[in-house]
Amino acid sequence: MMIAGLKYLHLAAMLCWCAAMVALPLMLHFYGAIWRSTTGSEQTQARYAEFRLITHYGYIGFATPAAIIAIAAGTGLIFAAQVFDLWLMAKLALVAGMALVHAWVGHLVLSSGENRGLHNMPSSLWALVMGVPLMVGVLWLVLAKPDLAWIADWMPEFMLAPRGQAAGQT
């Protein structure tokens, strides 16, 4: 029962986090372009305020809590289900990449507010270029659960042994 609840919570939070990590860069790109196209008027100020509220609260109020819940529920699920396979370690590496993209999107959201626009910032679409393959990789690893034992053949000997013991020793 607990494992099913953790799976549901983890899946729901991951869906929300991934949706936000697709929507926020698109909003920064397209909504920012609309905002930049208007000239100095009251409408410009209103659109800027709307743009800032949507991106700020989308990141602070939705994307970040979803990421925290997804990671916390996933961590609980690892220990509750006692899954310690290589595919899971690969998934965790991809999730770490997602967290880095998440932090970069947060930097873009913050910079767009501090600099009062998106004029000298890199394209937020790079977050999609980096994030979507990570999300697809996580989904593939979870659904396929591939046997990644062949990776151990490429690893140095010291990485295959517990700390302070030779490889093959228990």
Side-chain angles (χ1 to χ4, degrees):
M1 180 72 164
M2 181 178 77
I3 291 176
L6 281 172
K7 280 183 181 180
Y8 173 77
L9 183 62
H10 179 62
L11 181 61
M14 281 296 293
L15 288 173
C16 290
W17 185 25
C18 290
M21 294 309 296
V22 169
L24 279 169
L26 290 174
M27 279 193 282
L28 284 169
H29 182 75
F30 292 112
Y31 203 90
I34 292 169
W35 172 73
R36 283 190 304 266
S37 69
T38 60
T39 55
S41 66
E42 286 182 25
Q43 186 181 18
T44 302
Q45 184 60 35
R47 284 190 179 204
Y48 176 74
E50 185 178 300
F51 166 76
R52 284 293 299 137
L53 283 173
I54 290 171
T55 56
H56 178 76
Y57 288 119
Y59 185 80
I60 299 296
F62 186 75
T64 301
I68 291 169
I69 292 168
I71 292 170
T75 302
L77 194 55
I78 290 169
F79 292 106
Q82 297 201 359
V83 178
F84 302 104
D85 295 329
L86 281 176
W87 68 265
L88 179 68
M89 300 309 132
K91 176 196 172 203
L92 293 177
L94 294 180
V95 170
M98 287 174 59
L100 290 173
V101 172
H102 177 91
W104 188 63
V105 169
H107 169 71
L108 293 178
V109 168
L110 181 66
S111 295
S112 70
E114 288 178 348
N115 299 334
R116 200 163 157 69
L118 303 167
H119 302 293
N120 296 323
M121 291 177 27
S123 174
S124 60
L125 296 180
W126 282 107
L128 289 177
V129 171
M130 294 181 291
V132 170
L134 294 169
M135 293 176 216
V136 170
V138 167
L139 183 63
W140 178 76
L141 285 168
V142 169
L143 294 177
K145 293 180 180 57
D147 181 19
L148 300 177
W150 58 270
I151 293 176
D153 296 337
W154 293 45
M155 297 175 79
E157 195 68 30
F158 74 90
M159 293 183 81
L160 301 174
R163 189 172 172 182
Q165 295 180 6
Q169 225 180 7
T170 56

